[in-house]
Amino acid sequence: MKTRKKRRCRQTTYFLLSVLMLAGMTAFTGCGAQTAVGAETETTMGQIYEDTEGEESVMTDRKQLIPDPTFRNGFTIRSQKDHENGDNFEDLGVFPDDSASPAWLIVQWDSGPCLWEDRVPAADGVLTDGRSKWVTLNGDGASLRLDSAAYYEMKPDGAAAAGDFWPHLLLECTDFGYAAAKAAEKEFYSCSADELLLSFDLNMSAFSCTPNEKDWVEADQFLMYFYVKGKHSNDFVWFGLQLFDSRWERNTPYVGIDGGKADASGSLIYSIGLTEVYKCADGGLWKNKAVPADGKWIHIEIDLTPHLNKMFRSGSEMEYFSSAVSSLDDLYIDGMNLGFETIGTFDTEMGIRNLSLVSVKH
């Protein structure tokens, strides 16, 4: 922003605001370098200046896009899809029992026993069917465990065949609040924001695989996807990060159309590769196809904006976008999911905490 002549900073008025901002907001300064920050800033903030004519301008604004990033308000549990009836599903209940208006869902597509209908008594903060799925709240995040054996035991040959539905266990937030936001606030959701600063911690505490020579392919994945939508069209992109894949420790971005299974969406997928995701992390969480012995938490932080630019170029080259999308400014982020998508028999537990997506306008 250009500097106005005769501009003076209202230092006295905004001193307290500046102190509060420094105490509650993350400033990304490169790999691993950051100031102390809270993840749940819901309002836009910035250093405000006033010129001698009384005109104000906000130099840098920030907004946390993810509602309830620590899952304090709990979850609504969604049923598995009824593939014989138009892929219908329903909401079954809330966890914990006293949750009011959760922003997040627990989604359990094609994963064997029902997490809600088959739930068994468990410790506080734990929801489980005792056999295939566990969701645990841990204060500043949650952990997911999926054992897909119960799903494949239901199949005649116990194997993963081409075109099969893939077992999922996901946490999903379908709405970041774009539709209800005021016009000026909507700019923060735009894919053309100056920065979109994503950060979180991951921990993989357990992993095992039961090989089956009849499996079409064996892949245990933990993924994070954001929902990129057209502002004036029905364009949609699965834009995300590869966080774990049992087949390799490092890989490049994936670009393609969602397919390979019976309920595929047919939408564009752009996922940032493991190599880029973990370039600022200490070795990642998957070494020599095994969980690191120390089982430590891995911190990840990444600015999504350059990757959104690559996604847009790739989609344009594929002629994927409609005529209503001519630039990144025609796309916005409004929703996400994270969790397991597997094919084959695996038992894996992953924890996530300190989740944050901060949009920045300079």
Side-chain angles (χ1 to χ4, degrees):
M1 181 174 292
K2 294 182 180 179
T3 304
R4 291 191 180 92
K5 295 180 180 180
K6 299 181 181 180
R7 186 178 61 190
R8 61 185 176 83
C9 179
R10 300 197 306 196
Q11 294 175 339
T12 303
T13 305
Y14 294 103
F15 175 75
L16 180 58
L17 173 62
S18 300
V19 172
L20 293 173
M21 288 167 56
L22 290 173
M25 187 170 65
T26 303
F28 281 66
T29 55
C31 295
Q34 62 185 54
T35 57
V37 185
E40 296 191 70
T41 304
E42 293 295 340
T43 57
T44 59
M45 297 180 292
Q47 179 66 52
I48 302 176
Y49 290 84
E50 182 187 62
D51 64 16
T52 55
E53 289 77 29
E55 196 176 342
E56 290 189 354
S57 60
V58 179
M59 301 301 289
T60 300
D61 280 356
R62 297 169 175 259
K63 179 176 175 59
Q64 171 64 256
L65 295 187
I66 302 175
D68 189 19
T70 57
F71 319 120
R72 291 178 183 173
N73 294 331
F75 304 94
T76 299
I77 296 85
R78 186 153 282 181
S79 70
Q80 302 188 54
K81 290 180 181 178
D82 181 356
H83 296 299
E84 297 180 356
N85 190 24
D87 285 347
N88 289 338
F89 53 82
E90 60 182 317
D91 294 338
L92 303 175
V94 296
F95 166 72
D97 293 339
D98 59 353
S99 298
S101 302
W104 287 84
L105 301 166
I106 295 174
V107 181
Q108 51 173 336
W109 309 140
D110 304 301
S111 51
C114 177
L115 182 57
W116 183 256
E117 294 176 349
D118 299 324
R119 65 190 184 280
V120 299
D124 289 345
V126 180
L127 178 65
T128 179
D129 59 17
R131 183 180 178 191
S132 64
K133 292 179 286 294
W134 292 257
V135 177
T136 303
L137 289 169
N138 56 29
D140 53 2
S143 67
L144 301 175
R145 177 184 169 192
L146 175 62
D147 184 352
S148 58
Y151 172 72
Y152 288 104
E153 287 171 1
M154 299 165 56
K155 296 173 63 61
D157 57 2
D164 271 356
F165 303 110
W166 293 23
H168 291 63
L169 181 61
L170 307 172
L171 305 182
E172 180 178 23
C173 180
T174 60
D175 179 11
F176 282 178
Y178 176 83
K182 296 179 180 179
E185 194 177 16
K186 288 182 185 293
E187 296 180 18
F188 287 100
Y189 298 83
S190 176
C191 291
S192 63
D194 293 308
E195 297 175 281
L196 285 161
L197 305 175
L198 174 67
S199 65
F200 54 92
D201 301 317
L202 274 184
N203 168 271
M204 186 164 64
S205 57
F207 170 84
S208 65
C209 174
T210 304
N212 187 332
E213 61 181 14
K214 296 181 180 180
D215 282 339
W216 166 58
V217 65
E218 292 177 332
D220 186 17
Q221 302 169 95
F222 194 89
L223 308 170
M224 177 183 292
Y225 280 109
F226 294 94
Y227 305 160
V228 171
K229 305 175 182 179
K231 292 181 179 178
H232 310 291
S233 66
N234 292 324
D235 289 87
F236 182 91
V237 179
W238 300 103
F239 174 79
L241 296 82
Q242 301 173 57
L243 302 178
F244 166 68
D245 193 312
S246 61
R247 294 168 292 182
W248 38 66
E249 296 178 21
R250 294 289 185 270
N251 62 3
T252 56
Y254 173 82
V255 185
I257 300 298
D258 184 18
K261 52 187 185 295
D263 59 347
S265 67
S267 298
L268 177 66
I269 296 175
Y270 186 97
S271 58
I272 304 168
L274 293 158
T275 300
E276 184 70 19
V277 168
Y278 290 108
K279 74 176 185 179
C280 295
D282 183 19
L285 50 71
W286 186 234
K287 300 177 181 179
N288 300 317
K289 293 193 173 183
V291 182
D294 54 17
K296 65 180 180 180
W297 287 88
I298 301 294
H299 180 68
I300 296 166
E301 55 185 53
I302 186 169
D303 181 2
L304 299 181
T305 53
H307 304 284
L308 283 163
N309 275 283
K310 292 177 183 177
M311 175 276 292
F312 180 73
R313 288 198 299 269
S314 296
S316 298
E317 291 170 359
M318 297 167 63
E319 299 184 344
Y320 174 78
F321 295 112
S322 72
S323 60
V325 178
S326 60
S327 72
L328 274 178
D329 194 48
D330 296 316
L331 299 169
Y332 68 99
I333 295 177
D334 193 28
M336 68 178 297
N337 69 53
L338 62 97
F340 290 109
E341 180 174 342
T342 69
I343 184 165
T345 302
F346 296 92
D347 184 359
T348 314
E349 184 169 15
M350 189 80 75
I352 185 165
R353 67 185 186 188
N354 299 324
L355 177 63
S356 175
L357 178 62
V358 174
S359 177
V360 181
K361 298 191 305 173
H362 296 305

mmCIF file with all atom_site columns, all heavy atoms in Angstrom, residues 292-312:
data_model
loop_
_atom_site.group_PDB
_atom_site.id
_atom_site.type_symbol
_atom_site.label_atom_id
_atom_site.label_alt_id
_atom_site.label_comp_id
_atom_site.label_asym_id
_atom_site.label_entity_id
_atom_site.label_seq_id
_atom_site.pdbx_PDB_ins_code
_atom_site.Cartn_x
_atom_site.Cartn_y
_atom_site.Cartn_z
_atom_site.occupancy
_atom_site.B_iso_or_equiv
_atom_site.pdbx_formal_charge
_atom_site.auth_seq_id
_atom_site.auth_comp_id
_atom_site.auth_asym_id
_atom_site.auth_atom_id
_atom_site.pdbx_PDB_model_num
ATOM 1   N N   . PRO A 1 292 ? 8.567  -43.337 12.932  1.00 0.00 ? 292 PRO A N   1
ATOM 2   C CA  . PRO A 1 292 ? 9.785  -43.046 13.696  1.00 0.00 ? 292 PRO A CA  1
ATOM 3   C C   . PRO A 1 292 ? 9.667  -43.531 15.129  1.00 0.00 ? 292 PRO A C   1
ATOM 4   O O   . PRO A 1 292 ? 8.607  -43.408 15.754  1.00 0.00 ? 292 PRO A O   1
ATOM 5   C CB  . PRO A 1 292 ? 9.874  -41.514 13.625  1.00 0.00 ? 292 PRO A CB  1
ATOM 6   C CG  . PRO A 1 292 ? 9.134  -41.148 12.384  1.00 0.00 ? 292 PRO A CG  1
ATOM 7   C CD  . PRO A 1 292 ? 8.018  -42.150 12.273  1.00 0.00 ? 292 PRO A CD  1
ATOM 8   N N   . ALA A 1 293 ? 10.746 -44.070 15.653  1.00 0.00 ? 293 ALA A N   1
ATOM 9   C CA  . ALA A 1 293 ? 10.718 -44.659 16.990  1.00 0.00 ? 293 ALA A CA  1
ATOM 10  C C   . ALA A 1 293 ? 10.342 -43.648 18.060  1.00 0.00 ? 293 ALA A C   1
ATOM 11  O O   . ALA A 1 293 ? 9.698  -43.987 19.054  1.00 0.00 ? 293 ALA A O   1
ATOM 12  C CB  . ALA A 1 293 ? 12.079 -45.280 17.310  1.00 0.00 ? 293 ALA A CB  1
ATOM 13  N N   . ASP A 1 294 ? 10.734 -42.369 17.861  1.00 0.00 ? 294 ASP A N   1
ATOM 14  C CA  . ASP A 1 294 ? 10.439 -41.374 18.891  1.00 0.00 ? 294 ASP A CA  1
ATOM 15  C C   . ASP A 1 294 ? 8.983  -40.938 18.871  1.00 0.00 ? 294 ASP A C   1
ATOM 16  O O   . ASP A 1 294 ? 8.484  -40.373 19.834  1.00 0.00 ? 294 ASP A O   1
ATOM 17  C CB  . ASP A 1 294 ? 11.351 -40.156 18.750  1.00 0.00 ? 294 ASP A CB  1
ATOM 18  C CG  . ASP A 1 294 ? 11.313 -39.552 17.349  1.00 0.00 ? 294 ASP A CG  1
ATOM 19  O OD1 . ASP A 1 294 ? 10.379 -39.856 16.588  1.00 0.00 ? 294 ASP A OD1 1
ATOM 20  O OD2 . ASP A 1 294 ? 12.221 -38.761 17.032  1.00 0.00 ? 294 ASP A OD2 1
ATOM 21  N N   . GLY A 1 295 ? 8.282  -41.201 17.757  1.00 0.00 ? 295 GLY A N   1
ATOM 22  C CA  . GLY A 1 295 ? 6.868  -40.870 17.671  1.00 0.00 ? 295 GLY A CA  1
ATOM 23  C C   . GLY A 1 295 ? 6.554  -39.410 17.932  1.00 0.00 ? 295 GLY A C   1
ATOM 24  O O   . GLY A 1 295 ? 5.464  -39.064 18.398  1.00 0.00 ? 295 GLY A O   1
ATOM 25  N N   . LYS A 1 296 ? 7.498  -38.518 17.631  1.00 0.00 ? 296 LYS A N   1
ATOM 26  C CA  . LYS A 1 296 ? 7.323  -37.113 17.988  1.00 0.00 ? 296 LYS A CA  1
ATOM 27  C C   . LYS A 1 296 ? 6.318  -36.407 17.075  1.00 0.00 ? 296 LYS A C   1
ATOM 28  O O   . LYS A 1 296 ? 5.998  -36.872 15.977  1.00 0.00 ? 296 LYS A O   1
ATOM 29  C CB  . LYS A 1 296 ? 8.663  -36.394 17.909  1.00 0.00 ? 296 LYS A CB  1
ATOM 30  C CG  . LYS A 1 296 ? 9.255  -36.310 16.518  1.00 0.00 ? 296 LYS A CG  1
ATOM 31  C CD  . LYS A 1 296 ? 10.586 -35.588 16.546  1.00 0.00 ? 296 LYS A CD  1
ATOM 32  C CE  . LYS A 1 296 ? 11.202 -35.497 15.163  1.00 0.00 ? 296 LYS A CE  1
ATOM 33  N NZ  . LYS A 1 296 ? 12.495 -34.795 15.177  1.00 0.00 ? 296 LYS A NZ  1
ATOM 34  N N   . TRP A 1 297 ? 5.831  -35.266 17.555  1.00 0.00 ? 297 TRP A N   1
ATOM 35  C CA  . TRP A 1 297 ? 4.968  -34.418 16.762  1.00 0.00 ? 297 TRP A CA  1
ATOM 36  C C   . TRP A 1 297 ? 5.792  -33.673 15.719  1.00 0.00 ? 297 TRP A C   1
ATOM 37  O O   . TRP A 1 297 ? 6.895  -33.210 16.007  1.00 0.00 ? 297 TRP A O   1
ATOM 38  C CB  . TRP A 1 297 ? 4.244  -33.408 17.653  1.00 0.00 ? 297 TRP A CB  1
ATOM 39  C CG  . TRP A 1 297 ? 3.155  -34.027 18.483  1.00 0.00 ? 297 TRP A CG  1
ATOM 40  C CD1 . TRP A 1 297 ? 3.289  -34.589 19.714  1.00 0.00 ? 297 TRP A CD1 1
ATOM 41  C CD2 . TRP A 1 297 ? 1.778  -34.146 18.119  1.00 0.00 ? 297 TRP A CD2 1
ATOM 42  N NE1 . TRP A 1 297 ? 2.071  -35.060 20.160  1.00 0.00 ? 297 TRP A NE1 1
ATOM 43  C CE2 . TRP A 1 297 ? 1.118  -34.801 19.203  1.00 0.00 ? 297 TRP A CE2 1
ATOM 44  C CE3 . TRP A 1 297 ? 1.027  -33.769 17.005  1.00 0.00 ? 297 TRP A CE3 1
ATOM 45  C CZ2 . TRP A 1 297 ? -0.240 -35.066 19.197  1.00 0.00 ? 297 TRP A CZ2 1
ATOM 46  C CZ3 . TRP A 1 297 ? -0.337 -34.039 17.000  1.00 0.00 ? 297 TRP A CZ3 1
ATOM 47  C CH2 . TRP A 1 297 ? -0.957 -34.680 18.070  1.00 0.00 ? 297 TRP A CH2 1
ATOM 48  N N   . ILE A 1 298 ? 5.255  -33.571 14.516  1.00 0.00 ? 298 ILE A N   1
ATOM 49  C CA  . ILE A 1 298 ? 5.898  -32.859 13.414  1.00 0.00 ? 298 ILE A CA  1
ATOM 50  C C   . ILE A 1 298 ? 5.122  -31.578 13.147  1.00 0.00 ? 298 ILE A C   1
ATOM 51  O O   . ILE A 1 298 ? 3.903  -31.613 12.961  1.00 0.00 ? 298 ILE A O   1
ATOM 52  C CB  . ILE A 1 298 ? 5.930  -33.720 12.138  1.00 0.00 ? 298 ILE A CB  1
ATOM 53  C CG1 . ILE A 1 298 ? 6.680  -35.034 12.389  1.00 0.00 ? 298 ILE A CG1 1
ATOM 54  C CG2 . ILE A 1 298 ? 6.530  -32.955 10.979  1.00 0.00 ? 298 ILE A CG2 1
ATOM 55  C CD1 . ILE A 1 298 ? 8.147  -34.856 12.685  1.00 0.00 ? 298 ILE A CD1 1
ATOM 56  N N   . HIS A 1 299 ? 5.818  -30.441 13.127  1.00 0.00 ? 299 HIS A N   1
ATOM 57  C CA  . HIS A 1 299 ? 5.168  -29.161 12.849  1.00 0.00 ? 299 HIS A CA  1
ATOM 58  C C   . HIS A 1 299 ? 5.248  -28.849 11.355  1.00 0.00 ? 299 HIS A C   1
ATOM 59  O O   . HIS A 1 299 ? 6.307  -28.981 10.744  1.00 0.00 ? 299 HIS A O   1
ATOM 60  C CB  . HIS A 1 299 ? 5.836  -28.031 13.632  1.00 0.00 ? 299 HIS A CB  1
ATOM 61  C CG  . HIS A 1 299 ? 5.207  -26.690 13.375  1.00 0.00 ? 299 HIS A CG  1
ATOM 62  N ND1 . HIS A 1 299 ? 3.937  -26.383 13.789  1.00 0.00 ? 299 HIS A ND1 1
ATOM 63  C CD2 . HIS A 1 299 ? 5.678  -25.594 12.724  1.00 0.00 ? 299 HIS A CD2 1
ATOM 64  C CE1 . HIS A 1 299 ? 3.647  -25.149 13.414  1.00 0.00 ? 299 HIS A CE1 1
ATOM 65  N NE2 . HIS A 1 299 ? 4.680  -24.654 12.766  1.00 0.00 ? 299 HIS A NE2 1
ATOM 66  N N   . ILE A 1 300 ? 4.125  -28.449 10.797  1.00 0.00 ? 300 ILE A N   1
ATOM 67  C CA  . ILE A 1 300 ? 4.040  -28.126 9.369   1.00 0.00 ? 300 ILE A CA  1
ATOM 68  C C   . ILE A 1 300 ? 3.471  -26.722 9.219   1.00 0.00 ? 300 ILE A C   1
ATOM 69  O O   . ILE A 1 300 ? 2.467  -26.379 9.854   1.00 0.00 ? 300 ILE A O   1
ATOM 70  C CB  . ILE A 1 300 ? 3.145  -29.135 8.625   1.00 0.00 ? 300 ILE A CB  1
ATOM 71  C CG1 . ILE A 1 300 ? 3.763  -30.524 8.686   1.00 0.00 ? 300 ILE A CG1 1
ATOM 72  C CG2 . ILE A 1 300 ? 2.923  -28.713 7.168   1.00 0.00 ? 300 ILE A CG2 1
ATOM 73  C CD1 . ILE A 1 300 ? 2.835  -31.639 8.278   1.00 0.00 ? 300 ILE A CD1 1
ATOM 74  N N   . GLU A 1 301 ? 4.109  -25.920 8.398   1.00 0.00 ? 301 GLU A N   1
ATOM 75  C CA  . GLU A 1 301 ? 3.556  -24.614 8.049   1.00 0.00 ? 301 GLU A CA  1
ATOM 76  C C   . GLU A 1 301 ? 3.883  -24.341 6.584   1.00 0.00 ? 301 GLU A C   1
ATOM 77  O O   . GLU A 1 301 ? 4.985  -24.624 6.117   1.00 0.00 ? 301 GLU A O   1
ATOM 78  C CB  . GLU A 1 301 ? 4.092  -23.513 8.956   1.00 0.00 ? 301 GLU A CB  1
ATOM 79  C CG  . GLU A 1 301 ? 5.602  -23.394 9.030   1.00 0.00 ? 301 GLU A CG  1
ATOM 80  C CD  . GLU A 1 301 ? 6.044  -22.347 10.045  1.00 0.00 ? 301 GLU A CD  1
ATOM 81  O OE1 . GLU A 1 301 ? 5.610  -22.416 11.197  1.00 0.00 ? 301 GLU A OE1 1
ATOM 82  O OE2 . GLU A 1 301 ? 6.838  -21.471 9.658   1.00 0.00 ? 301 GLU A OE2 1
ATOM 83  N N   . ILE A 1 302 ? 2.909  -23.816 5.881   1.00 0.00 ? 302 ILE A N   1
ATOM 84  C CA  . ILE A 1 302 ? 3.058  -23.642 4.444   1.00 0.00 ? 302 ILE A CA  1
ATOM 85  C C   . ILE A 1 302 ? 2.106  -22.555 3.960   1.00 0.00 ? 302 ILE A C   1
ATOM 86  O O   . ILE A 1 302 ? 0.958  -22.471 4.409   1.00 0.00 ? 302 ILE A O   1
ATOM 87  C CB  . ILE A 1 302 ? 2.789  -24.991 3.721   1.00 0.00 ? 302 ILE A CB  1
ATOM 88  C CG1 . ILE A 1 302 ? 3.065  -24.891 2.227   1.00 0.00 ? 302 ILE A CG1 1
ATOM 89  C CG2 . ILE A 1 302 ? 1.395  -25.515 3.988   1.00 0.00 ? 302 ILE A CG2 1
ATOM 90  C CD1 . ILE A 1 302 ? 3.074  -26.270 1.542   1.00 0.00 ? 302 ILE A CD1 1
ATOM 91  N N   . ASP A 1 303 ? 2.600  -21.700 3.073   1.00 0.00 ? 303 ASP A N   1
ATOM 92  C CA  . ASP A 1 303 ? 1.761  -20.699 2.430   1.00 0.00 ? 303 ASP A CA  1
ATOM 93  C C   . ASP A 1 303 ? 1.135  -21.354 1.197   1.00 0.00 ? 303 ASP A C   1
ATOM 94  O O   . ASP A 1 303 ? 1.840  -21.811 0.291   1.00 0.00 ? 303 ASP A O   1
ATOM 95  C CB  . ASP A 1 303 ? 2.609  -19.489 2.028   1.00 0.00 ? 303 ASP A CB  1
ATOM 96  C CG  . ASP A 1 303 ? 1.795  -18.379 1.377   1.00 0.00 ? 303 ASP A CG  1
ATOM 97  O OD1 . ASP A 1 303 ? 0.560  -18.530 1.262   1.00 0.00 ? 303 ASP A OD1 1
ATOM 98  O OD2 . ASP A 1 303 ? 2.395  -17.365 0.980   1.00 0.00 ? 303 ASP A OD2 1
ATOM 99  N N   . LEU A 1 304 ? -0.186 -21.401 1.161   1.00 0.00 ? 304 LEU A N   1
ATOM 100 C CA  . LEU A 1 304 ? -0.879 -22.109 0.090   1.00 0.00 ? 304 LEU A CA  1
ATOM 101 C C   . LEU A 1 304 ? -0.929 -21.320 -1.218  1.00 0.00 ? 304 LEU A C   1
ATOM 102 O O   . LEU A 1 304 ? -1.227 -21.898 -2.273  1.00 0.00 ? 304 LEU A O   1
ATOM 103 C CB  . LEU A 1 304 ? -2.310 -22.441 0.523   1.00 0.00 ? 304 LEU A CB  1
ATOM 104 C CG  . LEU A 1 304 ? -2.472 -23.351 1.740   1.00 0.00 ? 304 LEU A CG  1
ATOM 105 C CD1 . LEU A 1 304 ? -3.952 -23.606 2.007   1.00 0.00 ? 304 LEU A CD1 1
ATOM 106 C CD2 . LEU A 1 304 ? -1.729 -24.668 1.564   1.00 0.00 ? 304 LEU A CD2 1
ATOM 107 N N   . THR A 1 305 ? -0.668 -20.016 -1.184  1.00 0.00 ? 305 THR A N   1
ATOM 108 C CA  . THR A 1 305 ? -0.920 -19.197 -2.368  1.00 0.00 ? 305 THR A CA  1
ATOM 109 C C   . THR A 1 305 ? -0.103 -19.611 -3.601  1.00 0.00 ? 305 THR A C   1
ATOM 110 O O   . THR A 1 305 ? -0.663 -19.672 -4.701  1.00 0.00 ? 305 THR A O   1
ATOM 111 C CB  . THR A 1 305 ? -0.723 -17.704 -2.057  1.00 0.00 ? 305 THR A CB  1
ATOM 112 O OG1 . THR A 1 305 ? 0.561  -17.498 -1.468  1.00 0.00 ? 305 THR A OG1 1
ATOM 113 C CG2 . THR A 1 305 ? -1.783 -17.219 -1.105  1.00 0.00 ? 305 THR A CG2 1
ATOM 114 N N   . PRO A 1 306 ? 1.198  -19.894 -3.493  1.00 0.00 ? 306 PRO A N   1
ATOM 115 C CA  . PRO A 1 306 ? 1.899  -20.319 -4.706  1.00 0.00 ? 306 PRO A CA  1
ATOM 116 C C   . PRO A 1 306 ? 1.374  -21.637 -5.264  1.00 0.00 ? 306 PRO A C   1
ATOM 117 O O   . PRO A 1 306 ? 1.392  -21.857 -6.481  1.00 0.00 ? 306 PRO A O   1
ATOM 118 C CB  . PRO A 1 306 ? 3.365  -20.429 -4.262  1.00 0.00 ? 306 PRO A CB  1
ATOM 119 C CG  . PRO A 1 306 ? 3.323  -20.545 -2.788  1.00 0.00 ? 306 PRO A CG  1
ATOM 120 C CD  . PRO A 1 306 ? 2.125  -19.777 -2.340  1.00 0.00 ? 306 PRO A CD  1
ATOM 121 N N   . HIS A 1 307 ? 0.889  -22.496 -4.405  1.00 0.00 ? 307 HIS A N   1
ATOM 122 C CA  . HIS A 1 307 ? 0.353  -23.784 -4.841  1.00 0.00 ? 307 HIS A CA  1
ATOM 123 C C   . HIS A 1 307 ? -1.030 -23.618 -5.478  1.00 0.00 ? 307 HIS A C   1
ATOM 124 O O   . HIS A 1 307 ? -1.375 -24.344 -6.421  1.00 0.00 ? 307 HIS A O   1
ATOM 125 C CB  . HIS A 1 307 ? 0.308  -24.748 -3.662  1.00 0.00 ? 307 HIS A CB  1
ATOM 126 C CG  . HIS A 1 307 ? 1.641  -24.928 -3.007  1.00 0.00 ? 307 HIS A CG  1
ATOM 127 N ND1 . HIS A 1 307 ? 2.651  -25.707 -3.558  1.00 0.00 ? 307 HIS A ND1 1
ATOM 128 C CD2 . HIS A 1 307 ? 2.155  -24.388 -1.876  1.00 0.00 ? 307 HIS A CD2 1
ATOM 129 C CE1 . HIS A 1 307 ? 3.712  -25.653 -2.775  1.00 0.00 ? 307 HIS A CE1 1
ATOM 130 N NE2 . HIS A 1 307 ? 3.438  -24.865 -1.756  1.00 0.00 ? 307 HIS A NE2 1
ATOM 131 N N   . LEU A 1 308 ? -1.799 -22.654 -4.996  1.00 0.00 ? 308 LEU A N   1
ATOM 132 C CA  . LEU A 1 308 ? -3.064 -22.340 -5.657  1.00 0.00 ? 308 LEU A CA  1
ATOM 133 C C   . LEU A 1 308 ? -2.822 -21.810 -7.061  1.00 0.00 ? 308 LEU A C   1
ATOM 134 O O   . LEU A 1 308 ? -3.572 -22.109 -7.999  1.00 0.00 ? 308 LEU A O   1
ATOM 135 C CB  . LEU A 1 308 ? -3.848 -21.322 -4.832  1.00 0.00 ? 308 LEU A CB  1
ATOM 136 C CG  . LEU A 1 308 ? -4.553 -21.881 -3.595  1.00 0.00 ? 308 LEU A CG  1
ATOM 137 C CD1 . LEU A 1 308 ? -4.936 -20.755 -2.640  1.00 0.00 ? 308 LEU A CD1 1
ATOM 138 C CD2 . LEU A 1 308 ? -5.779 -22.695 -3.982  1.00 0.00 ? 308 LEU A CD2 1
ATOM 139 N N   . ASN A 1 309 ? -1.773 -21.027 -7.223  1.00 0.00 ? 309 ASN A N   1
ATOM 140 C CA  . ASN A 1 309 ? -1.412 -20.554 -8.562  1.00 0.00 ? 309 ASN A CA  1
ATOM 141 C C   . ASN A 1 309 ? -1.061 -21.719 -9.480  1.00 0.00 ? 309 ASN A C   1
ATOM 142 O O   . ASN A 1 309 ? -1.482 -21.751 -10.644 1.00 0.00 ? 309 ASN A O   1
ATOM 143 C CB  . ASN A 1 309 ? -0.236 -19.576 -8.478  1.00 0.00 ? 309 ASN A CB  1
ATOM 144 C CG  . ASN A 1 309 ? -0.662 -18.153 -8.190  1.00 0.00 ? 309 ASN A CG  1
ATOM 145 O OD1 . ASN A 1 309 ? -1.141 -17.443 -9.072  1.00 0.00 ? 309 ASN A OD1 1
ATOM 146 N ND2 . ASN A 1 309 ? -0.501 -17.725 -6.943  1.00 0.00 ? 309 ASN A ND2 1
ATOM 147 N N   . LYS A 1 310 ? -0.314 -22.681 -8.972  1.00 0.00 ? 310 LYS A N   1
ATOM 148 C CA  . LYS A 1 310 ? 0.040  -23.858 -9.775  1.00 0.00 ? 310 LYS A CA  1
ATOM 149 C C   . LYS A 1 310 ? -1.216 -24.673 -10.100 1.00 0.00 ? 310 LYS A C   1
ATOM 150 O O   . LYS A 1 310 ? -1.353 -25.195 -11.214 1.00 0.00 ? 310 LYS A O   1
ATOM 151 C CB  . LYS A 1 310 ? 1.050  -24.716 -9.017  1.00 0.00 ? 310 LYS A CB  1
ATOM 152 C CG  . LYS A 1 310 ? 2.412  -24.062 -8.847  1.00 0.00 ? 310 LYS A CG  1
ATOM 153 C CD  . LYS A 1 310 ? 3.346  -24.936 -8.019  1.00 0.00 ? 310 LYS A CD  1
ATOM 154 C CE  . LYS A 1 310 ? 4.666  -24.247 -7.785  1.00 0.00 ? 310 LYS A CE  1
ATOM 155 N NZ  . LYS A 1 310 ? 5.581  -25.064 -6.914  1.00 0.00 ? 310 LYS A NZ  1
ATOM 156 N N   . MET A 1 311 ? -2.109 -24.787 -9.134  1.00 0.00 ? 311 MET A N   1
ATOM 157 C CA  . MET A 1 311 ? -3.371 -25.497 -9.376  1.00 0.00 ? 311 MET A CA  1
ATOM 158 C C   . MET A 1 311 ? -4.157 -24.832 -10.488 1.00 0.00 ? 311 MET A C   1
ATOM 159 O O   . MET A 1 311 ? -4.682 -25.504 -11.390 1.00 0.00 ? 311 MET A O   1
ATOM 160 C CB  . MET A 1 311 ? -4.190 -25.528 -8.091  1.00 0.00 ? 311 MET A CB  1
ATOM 161 C CG  . MET A 1 311 ? -5.589 -26.132 -8.228  1.00 0.00 ? 311 MET A CG  1
ATOM 162 S SD  . MET A 1 311 ? -6.866 -24.967 -8.802  1.00 0.00 ? 311 MET A SD  1
ATOM 163 C CE  . MET A 1 311 ? -6.980 -23.871 -7.387  1.00 0.00 ? 311 MET A CE  1
ATOM 164 N N   . PHE A 1 312 ? -4.234 -23.495 -10.445 1.00 0.00 ? 312 PHE A N   1
ATOM 165 C CA  . PHE A 1 312 ? -5.018 -22.781 -11.449 1.00 0.00 ? 312 PHE A CA  1
ATOM 166 C C   . PHE A 1 312 ? -4.402 -22.941 -12.833 1.00 0.00 ? 312 PHE A C   1
ATOM 167 O O   . PHE A 1 312 ? -5.121 -23.165 -13.820 1.00 0.00 ? 312 PHE A O   1
ATOM 168 C CB  . PHE A 1 312 ? -5.118 -21.304 -11.078 1.00 0.00 ? 312 PHE A CB  1
ATOM 169 C CG  . PHE A 1 312 ? -5.902 -20.511 -12.074 1.00 0.00 ? 312 PHE A CG  1
ATOM 170 C CD1 . PHE A 1 312 ? -7.278 -20.638 -12.153 1.00 0.00 ? 312 PHE A CD1 1
ATOM 171 C CD2 . PHE A 1 312 ? -5.259 -19.650 -12.959 1.00 0.00 ? 312 PHE A CD2 1
ATOM 172 C CE1 . PHE A 1 312 ? -8.005 -19.921 -13.097 1.00 0.00 ? 312 PHE A CE1 1
ATOM 173 C CE2 . PHE A 1 312 ? -5.981 -18.932 -13.899 1.00 0.00 ? 312 PHE A CE2 1
ATOM 174 C CZ  . PHE A 1 312 ? -7.360 -19.063 -13.962 1.00 0.00 ? 312 PHE A CZ  1
#
